[in-house]
Amino acid sequence: MDAAATETAAPGNGAPDYSGAGIDFERMGGPEMASAPQPVYKMLRDGAPILRMDNMVLLSKRADIDFTLRHPEIFSSNMDAVNIGNIRPMIPLQIDPPDHLKYRKILDPIFAPRQVAKLEEDVTALVQDLVSRFADRGECDFSAELAVPLPSQVFLTLLGLPLDDLATFIKMKDGIIRPEVFVGDDLEKAAAHRHETALQMYAYFERILDERERERRDDLLSQFLDAEIDGHKLSRNEILDVCFLFLIAGLDTVTSSLECFTAYLAQHPEHRQELVDDESLIPQAVEELLRWETPVTGIVRVALDETEIGGCTVHKGDMVAVMLGAANTDEAEYPDGDVVDFHRETNKHIAFGGGVHRCLGSHLARLELRVALREFHRRIPSYSIKDGVELEYTPNIRSIEHLPLVWESK
Amino acid sequence: VGVEVKVSVTRPPCTGHGRCYSLAPEVYGCDDEGYAVIENPEVPAGLEAQARLGAANCPEDAIVIEE
């Protein structure tokens, strides 16, 4: 038994308790945690804001989470924190400062608002095309027909890959993010499937990079081949490790956000009507829905040294899981945090994480989310979830694999 | 002379969330990498509320307002 657990073993002696005595663990692992996690976050903040489970410490107060994310020198985002089948660290997420900054210097300008804004016209055309395919039908599966293809196609276009590769792409990212879909709940099989998929991803990008090596194009991969850090070109492995992260981080997160947002709007017609009546509210609505839904519920860091959070000893090698969704609904930050308000004056959510690893693609994600909400509601201002359908959310990254919507077609 | 408001931001803690320059573009700008820049640290009269709005919405608490 470790020191922290020993110290907290005797109740009533005034020593703080980090074991979660008094909270309902079943709610944490159950479907509510995926479909409607906000009350579960509250249970955690009230009953176990710092919760130790074996070698993991789970945080659900904004202040503790900020502290963790703002100290990468103690709480590392390296490969020990998350292993999803990759054989080298994903760049830049799994690189700690100071090297981290070198990669962000190259990547930040590509994903800065000024650059991203240039994509608005293309993204708009893409959404219009996808929506036009089902707008007159009176129903759609929002997931399969918009939420999944939109970020994947934006990504393919950005990297300069053929649209024919869409299915391959989606299969690769699903093989990493949710291997259970392919091999069931056996953890060993899942790990093997992830590893196998990872190797396929490296091989896929190797092949394309070979092509670009022979002939540059006007795309990101070509740009990476010529990019320099302190006079050195990026190595082939470095480029592969960036691509790996893009595929894992850039597709599923936007898909999940679109699904969570649309499910919310389908079930809250008064909020939806606000957007239909006034499109200029959409940017704020995106921020508020990011706060409330927080599609990426939590992220993990690993302690590089023994330290302490709120009195709880954290040992070297411990995992520290920060619940971003709990931070975003913490009443210490938002007195009315359980109210969804598109006119909220103060919203400093960390749905994109915080600290140096703040989501590189956040500005692109925002663009896709804003354009999708705008164009979808222009064509389909009123809709609901198909009768009798019970939405199923996936845990951790809150995706809704089938989101059937119906509306009155003209 | 009215109340003088000064505003500053440093990197880090600014990590480029972009909340300030989205909400209050007359006070906060954005460099080529997406990080906040302030061209005029002495907030012009009439823009004080904008300056405060940007600071209040910073997820990293990176903006300092002196009044």
Side-chain angles (χ1 to χ4, degrees):
Chain A
M1 191 181 276
D2 58 43
T6 315
E7 279 163 19
T8 59
N13 64 358
D17 174 71
Y18 304 110
S19 69
I23 64 159
D24 181 352
F25 279 90
E26 269 181 36
R27 288 180 71 193
M28 273 177 68
E32 185 190 3
M33 187 61 177
S35 62
Q38 299 86 1
V40 188
Y41 297 146
K42 181 162 173 48
M43 173 188 78
L44 284 168
R45 282 193 307 268
D46 291 347
I50 301 173
L51 174 62
R52 174 173 279 285
M53 294 178 292
D54 300 322
N55 69 336
M56 177 174 278
V57 177
L58 187 93
L59 303 178
S60 46
K61 296 285 275 184
R62 172 70 187 249
D64 293 332
I65 290 171
D66 278 347
F67 176 77
T68 304
L69 295 178
R70 293 174 189 180
H71 288 91
E73 73 287 0
I74 312 173
F75 304 103
S76 165
S77 170
N78 71 23
M79 267 180 93
D80 293 336
V82 176
N83 188 337
I84 52 167
N86 49 313
I87 56 176
R88 291 180 305 270
M90 293 183 284
I91 294 176
L93 179 65
Q94 297 187 311
I95 305 289
D96 286 328
D99 285 352
H100 171 261
L101 185 63
K102 297 193 299 191
Y103 297 112
R104 288 292 289 236
K105 276 254 170 227
I106 291 182
L107 296 168
D108 276 334
I110 296 170
F111 292 96
R114 210 165 289 169
Q115 239 0 73
V116 162
K118 295 179 187 164
L119 300 172
E120 171 143 6
E121 210 174 305
D122 286 350
V123 174
T124 302
L126 179 54
V127 177
Q128 284 173 345
D129 174 50
L130 290 169
V131 173
S132 73
R133 296 183 201 185
F134 56 70
D136 295 332
R137 200 195 302 150
E139 63 178 329
C140 74
D141 181 347
F142 186 86
S143 302
E145 297 184 83
L146 186 59
V148 171
L150 173 62
S152 306
Q153 290 197 34
V154 168
F155 183 84
L156 288 171
T157 310
L158 208 60
L159 281 180
L161 304 171
L163 284 184
D164 293 345
D165 288 356
L166 188 63
T168 312
F169 247 75
I170 291 172
K171 203 165 164 227
M172 287 197 293
K173 66 105 177 147
D174 282 339
I176 297 275
I177 296 174
R178 37 189 71 90
E180 66 277 6
V181 173
F182 302 91
V183 294
D185 285 332
D186 184 316
L187 288 180
E188 256 174 56
K189 278 189 190 165
H193 186 78
R194 272 187 165 151
H195 184 66
E196 213 174 286
T197 310
L199 296 181
Q200 284 168 18
M201 280 171 51
Y202 291 122
Y204 174 86
F205 282 111
E206 280 276 14
R207 189 169 54 75
I208 307 273
L209 284 164
D210 283 342
E211 286 175 23
R212 295 294 180 280
E213 198 76 73
R214 286 192 293 273
E215 194 186 342
R216 297 287 195 276
R217 290 202 204 158
D218 181 19
D219 62 27
L220 263 189
L221 290 178
S222 302
Q223 223 173 307
F224 289 158
L225 286 169
D226 294 324
E228 285 187 8
I229 300 177
D230 306 331
H232 298 281
K233 288 202 163 169
L234 288 175
S235 70
R236 176 59 73 94
N237 279 348
E238 285 174 322
I239 299 176
L240 289 173
D241 298 337
V242 170
C243 292
F244 198 105
L245 178 63
F246 282 10
L247 189 56
I248 295 311
L251 309 185
D252 226 52
T253 47
V254 178
T255 296
S256 303
S257 303
L258 281 170
E259 291 161 352
C260 287
F261 290 12
T262 304
Y264 181 90
L265 293 169
Q267 295 168 91
H268 296 84
E270 70 292 353
H271 282 88
R272 182 178 69 217
Q273 196 58 42
E274 280 197 273
L275 302 189
V276 171
D277 291 343
D278 180 6
E279 281 186 355
S280 71
L281 260 186
I282 288 177
Q284 274 165 275
V286 165
E287 300 304 324
E288 178 66 346
L289 289 169
L290 281 166
R291 183 190 72 81
W292 177 246
E293 296 291 333
T294 312
V296 179
T297 55
I299 48 180
V300 181
R301 298 291 187 253
V302 58
L304 294 178
D305 227 324
E306 180 162 314
T307 183
E308 190 192 286
I309 301 173
C312 176
T313 305
V314 177
H315 307 282
K316 184 176 179 178
D318 277 350
M319 301 292 161
V320 179
V322 303
M323 302 305 292
L324 299 174
N328 285 340
T329 46
D330 188 347
E331 36 293 287
E333 188 69 49
Y334 306 100
D336 57 348
D338 57 351
V339 175
V340 176
D341 177 4
F342 294 162
H343 305 272
R344 185 179 289 282
E345 280 249 319
T346 305
N347 182 355
K348 40 197 283 193
H349 73 76
I350 46 169
F352 291 115
V356 294
H357 292 289
R358 187 266 310 163
C359 172
L360 174 66
S362 60
H363 303 294
L364 176 59
R366 283 176 164 129
L367 173 74
E368 292 181 46
L369 296 171
R370 287 198 292 250
V371 170
L373 288 192
R374 185 185 70 211
E375 297 302 324
F376 183 84
H377 288 96
R378 277 187 188 173
R379 287 295 297 271
I380 305 161
S382 175
Y383 50 92
S384 55
I385 293 164
K386 194 172 184 176
D387 270 350
V389 172
E390 191 77 40
L391 298 183
E392 284 181 37
Y393 291 69
T394 59
N396 306 322
I397 298 180
R398 302 177 56 226
S399 180
I400 308 169
E401 300 207 27
H402 299 286
L403 180 50
L405 300 178
V406 291
W407 57 93
E408 292 212 2
S409 56
K410 288 163 208 152
Chain B
V1 184
V3 181
E4 201 174 84
V5 176
K6 284 188 179 179
V7 62
S8 61
V9 64
T10 47
R11 169 187 170 191
C14 172
T15 60
H17 289 260
R19 296 287 290 142
C20 60
Y21 54 74
S22 307
L23 290 166
E26 289 173 274
V27 177
Y28 304 94
C30 157
D31 67 15
D32 285 341
E33 297 177 5
Y35 296 81
V37 284
I38 297 168
E39 288 198 1
N40 189 356
E42 318 235 321
V43 179
L47 292 180
E48 297 90 345
Q50 290 267 306
R52 289 188 201 101
L53 181 71
N57 279 277
C58 176
E60 307 287 351
D61 302 314
I63 298 168
V64 177
I65 303 246
E66 290 173 67
E67 317 219 7

